[in-house]
Amino acid sequence: LSEKLCPKCNGTGWVQEKKGEKEYVHKCDCQSLNILLSRSERANIPSLFAGAELKGYVPEKENPSQKKAKKIIRNFIEQYPAVDKGFLLQGPTGVGKTRLLCAIATELMKKDDKIDIYYVDWNDLVREMRTGEGHSTRDFSGINNWINKLTDVEVLLFDELAASKISQWVADYIYYLINKRYNDKKLTIFATNFYDKGTDGRETLSGRIGERLRSRLYEMAQVLEIRGVDFRQKNM
Ligand SMILES: [Zn+2]
């Protein structure tokens, strides 16, 4: 994207405009977009969703849960920083949870140009932690730096919560991270495919992450259930 010259300003970042006799020069729109994209990159936002806005999340027809989620998130962004809880987005694959997480990031970055925000995927975090498990000689500075970043950041977007099974060692590490954020009153927004009630023999969220962590999440995040369109209903 950045290698292609902006057609409005030919890559100069400035646009000339004539109003009657006078000529004006103003900053091109592509400049704020470039800034937003580089902030998204630093926030570790997946490039597919860099700069994704909330208006780009279009609820399916006859899907009140998606409409409701969007409305609540819009209010949250308006209220920020006067908010005291994050969210736990629960729903199946394909309902746009990652897009919503990244849209929250974009909207908060547009609202506050100093905001410190970071996206992490459970799978990446767990993979990194596992490489250290059982290897007492490993240099932990890399993972420790990462954990420090995740505990310190002002707003953390934690995607794919509970996506893979974890050992007690990794579970303790993740509990430490989330509990530290809770104690420090930091906002965390989670997304997961797992529910509190197991249906069709599926494991529950607390079955995956443990009661202790699940009850911590209750205190720091409001549940937003996002349903897909029910297949049978759609075909009736
Ligand atoms: Zn431009």
Side-chain angles (χ1 to χ4, degrees), residues 22-213:
K22 286 185 175 174
E23 270 196 27
Y24 295 87
V25 174
H26 63 86
K27 237 186 194 169
C28 183
D29 293 341
C30 71
Q31 294 308 292
S32 47
L33 180 65
N34 283 341
I35 291 169
L36 187 63
L37 291 179
S38 68
R39 290 176 77 196
S40 299
E41 199 177 334
R42 264 178 284 139
N44 197 33
I45 302 291
S47 50
L48 182 62
F49 296 112
E53 296 175 309
L54 191 58
K55 68 180 179 200
Y57 179 78
V58 182
E60 293 166 319
K61 270 182 193 153
E62 291 161 47
N63 191 321
S65 71
Q66 294 185 1
K67 253 188 210 163
K68 185 180 162 202
K70 185 173 178 177
K71 193 176 166 199
I72 290 174
I73 288 171
R74 193 188 296 120
N75 285 340
F76 170 88
I77 290 158
E78 278 167 19
Q79 300 293 316
Y80 183 87
V83 291
D84 55 3
K85 268 189 176 186
F87 295 111
L88 172 62
L89 309 180
Q90 285 181 304
T93 307
V95 295
K97 297 190 300 298
T98 300
R99 173 181 285 278
L100 275 173
L101 284 185
C102 297
I104 292 171
T106 303
E107 301 297 345
L108 292 180
M109 286 192 287
K110 285 198 298 188
K111 185 168 181 176
D112 176 356
D113 58 15
K114 296 275 183 302
I115 197 168
D116 184 21
I117 195 161
Y118 197 79
Y119 171 97
V120 70
D121 182 311
W122 168 277
N123 297 300
D124 294 335
L125 182 62
V126 166
R127 192 179 309 120
E128 181 62 26
M129 285 175 171
R130 268 189 193 142
T131 62
E133 205 168 7
H135 298 278
S136 57
T137 55
R138 186 183 183 244
D139 173 15
F140 275 91
S141 56
I143 180 77
N144 281 337
N145 284 339
W146 204 18
I147 293 289
N148 286 341
K149 169 82 187 167
L150 298 178
T151 47
D152 289 349
V153 72
E154 202 176 323
V155 180
L156 179 66
L157 309 164
F158 201 153
D159 204 0
E160 296 286 357
L161 186 74
S164 57
K165 291 224 178 203
I166 50 173
S167 66
Q168 191 57 49
W169 188 82
V170 171
D172 286 345
Y173 218 156
I174 290 177
Y175 181 79
Y176 161 78
L177 155 66
I178 291 173
N179 191 52
K180 177 94 171 61
R181 294 189 61 79
Y182 171 77
N183 286 331
D184 294 345
K185 297 188 164 56
K186 296 212 156 138
L187 271 182
T188 314
I189 298 159
F190 304 90
T192 184
N193 292 346
F194 288 87
Y195 294 94
D196 293 310
K197 286 193 188 115
T199 45
D200 305 328
R202 259 170 78 84
E203 242 181 306
T204 60
L205 183 58
S206 54
R208 299 285 285 196
I209 61 173
E211 276 303 328
R212 182 176 60 152
L213 183 51

Side-chain angles (χ1 to χ4, degrees), residues 6-15 28-31:
C6 168
K8 274 197 220 163
C9 66
N10 285 318
T12 62
W14 298 94
V15 180
C28 183
D29 293 341
C30 71
Q31 294 308 292

Side-chain angles (χ1 to χ4, degrees), residues 207-226:
R208 299 285 285 196
I209 61 173
E211 276 303 328
R212 182 176 60 152
L213 183 51
R214 179 64 191 99
S215 61
R216 194 44 99 220
L217 295 189
Y218 270 122
E219 292 170 73
M220 61 197 291
Q222 176 188 351
V223 170
L224 278 185
E225 205 183 306
I226 303 170

